[in-house]
Amino acid sequence: MGATIRDVAQAAGVSVATVSRLVNGTGRVRDDTARRVQTAIDRLGFRPNAIGRNLSTARTRTLGVVIPSLSNPVFADAVAGINAEAKAQGYTLMFMATDYVRTDEQALVGTLLAYQVDGLILTVADAADSPVLDALDRDDVPYVLIYNQPTARNRPTVTVDNVTAGREVADFFADLGHERLAMVSGTLTASDRARARRDGFVAGAEARGLAAPRVLEVDFVDLDADAAVAPLFADRTGAPTALFCSNDLLAISVIGALGRLGLGVPADVSVIGFDGIAVGAQLHPTLATVAQPSREMGRVATTRLLARLAGETAAPATVLPHTLRPGESAGPAAKPCPADLQVPFHHNGRSPS
């Protein structure tokens, strides 16, 4: 089997898009880069595919989508919005998921570019510090971020104001009389959105004169909610009476874990999630949450990407409105629990069965 375009890109230390531009003559490549690529082509004996060369001179009318997870309905909602707008404009989608593994981002994007997608809509771990975005910027590949936070480099993104949303959650809890707050978050290095929510929540609590909330990080994918939550309630006298979870799926898992600890929601502990997924309104208790317009975010991101493909200059961040949606899982602060009613805590981090 002969060398592939990806083999050439790896040997030359450049992106697949750069090799494609040089081979197909569809864009400018710096002289020193062109020499490295040509040396790799000669050494590997790479022969461009004629069909691929023909496709590269025209649009494939395909958009690549990279999201963190296929299991979280919030991303499914966004993809639905992307797909509806793309389909209306005569485009199809190819999408992949990173499972929150930051080091997989570049490989997945490279795979999509090898299929010659016209542009990308993606969510990365951190838009301010992203090797894959650096490469896309360097190679002038059209893309729009979704959910990621605005950066000093004005990378195009469609998102909500996560910092303000976090502050509003803290205010909501304080207005209900809660004084001991905590947050359960997915891994902060895997999500600039979760960090922004954390920052707003902590700042909001401090602005109301409350102690800084304790922040627990858990694995987004391999979640053990029981083990994560139990230490917070080992000593009920100082335990939080309100928990903010960085997404709705996490909040649902936490509510289940609290029940297994013998704690009622919201009688003993109030819980607020983030995303506004539809299933939250079907639960008992119904889930209080910060709802973000995911489907609309997907639609707007698609229109912005198609505008860039049409030659328009990339616009700065688009921040859409969010809504703090009350639900049965958040209520007035619980009265202090006597010490003799504390939940037993075992060394394995779980309550007795």
Side-chain angles (χ1 to χ4, degrees):
M1 182 176 178
T4 68
I5 193 171
R6 296 190 71 184
D7 295 330
V8 173
Q10 184 175 8
V14 299
S15 71
V16 171
T18 298
V19 179
S20 178
R21 283 206 306 276
L22 179 68
V23 168
N24 298 305
T26 56
R28 296 185 60 184
V29 178
R30 291 196 298 265
D31 290 343
D32 59 336
T33 302
R35 283 192 293 270
R36 293 206 316 274
V37 173
Q38 191 60 53
T39 297
I41 288 173
D42 295 341
R43 178 164 60 83
L44 296 172
F46 172 68
R47 294 293 178 267
N49 181 280
I51 295 175
R53 289 176 62 88
N54 289 336
L55 284 175
S56 70
T57 62
R59 294 280 174 82
T60 62
R61 301 194 74 79
T62 302
L63 305 179
V65 180
V66 179
I67 55 176
S69 172
L70 293 173
S71 61
N72 191 333
V74 72
F75 297 117
D77 288 345
V79 171
I82 295 169
N83 186 60
E85 185 64 22
K87 185 176 180 181
Q89 301 301 325
Y91 282 78
T92 58
L93 302 183
M94 294 182 65
F95 65 91
M96 296 185 173
T98 64
D99 288 328
Y100 293 98
V101 179
R102 181 173 184 168
T103 53
D104 284 353
E105 291 174 356
Q106 199 147 7
L108 295 180
V109 167
T111 298
L112 290 171
L113 293 177
Y115 281 101
Q116 298 183 321
V117 296
D118 292 339
L120 295 160
I121 297 173
L122 63 165
T123 303
V124 297
D126 187 349
D129 179 18
S130 173
V132 70
L133 297 184
D134 291 342
L136 294 177
D137 289 337
R138 183 178 63 247
D139 295 333
D140 198 28
V141 177
Y143 71 87
V144 175
L145 297 167
I146 188 169
Y147 296 111
N148 283 117
Q149 296 306 279
T151 69
R153 297 177 62 176
N154 289 323
R155 284 171 160 156
T157 187
V158 181
T159 187
V160 296
D161 188 340
N162 286 282
V163 174
T164 295
R167 293 181 69 100
E168 290 173 356
V169 172
D171 279 335
F172 189 80
F173 280 145
D175 288 344
L176 288 172
H178 294 280
E179 298 180 351
R180 300 192 303 275
L181 314 183
M183 181 176 183
V184 182
S185 173
T187 308
L188 295 171
T189 56
S191 173
D192 59 358
R193 294 81 65 202
R195 291 202 305 276
R197 294 164 195 170
R198 184 269 320 266
D199 293 347
F201 185 60
V202 171
E206 292 177 347
R208 295 295 293 262
L210 304 178
R214 181 176 177 183
V215 179
L216 294 182
E217 292 184 60
V218 299
D219 192 300
F220 276 117
V221 178
D222 187 19
L223 173 63
D224 186 341
D226 291 51
V229 170
L232 285 173
F233 299 93
D235 176 9
R236 286 290 304 278
T237 58
T241 63
L243 296 178
F244 176 35
C245 297
S246 63
N247 68 43
D248 281 350
L249 283 185
L250 183 54
I252 292 168
S253 297
V254 164
I255 289 173
L258 291 172
R260 288 185 288 276
L261 282 173
L263 295 165
V265 175
D268 299 309
V269 185
S270 287
V271 177
I272 294 180
F274 200 109
D275 284 337
I277 61 176
V279 70
Q282 307 304 317
L283 301 176
H284 179 69
T286 57
L287 183 63
T289 184
V290 177
Q292 54 183 337
S294 292
R295 188 182 180 96
E296 177 66 4
M297 289 165 68
R299 188 194 68 78
V300 172
T302 307
T303 60
R304 289 190 55 187
L305 179 58
L306 296 180
R308 187 174 176 192
L309 289 172
E312 296 182 18
T313 302
T318 299
V319 180
L320 298 181
H322 62 271
T323 304
L324 202 164
R325 189 171 69 201
E328 296 167 349
S329 66
K335 295 180 180 180
C337 182
D340 58 350
L341 294 181
Q342 292 179 18
V343 175
F345 178 66
H346 288 211
H347 71 279
N348 63 358
R350 299 177 185 272
S351 62
S353 57

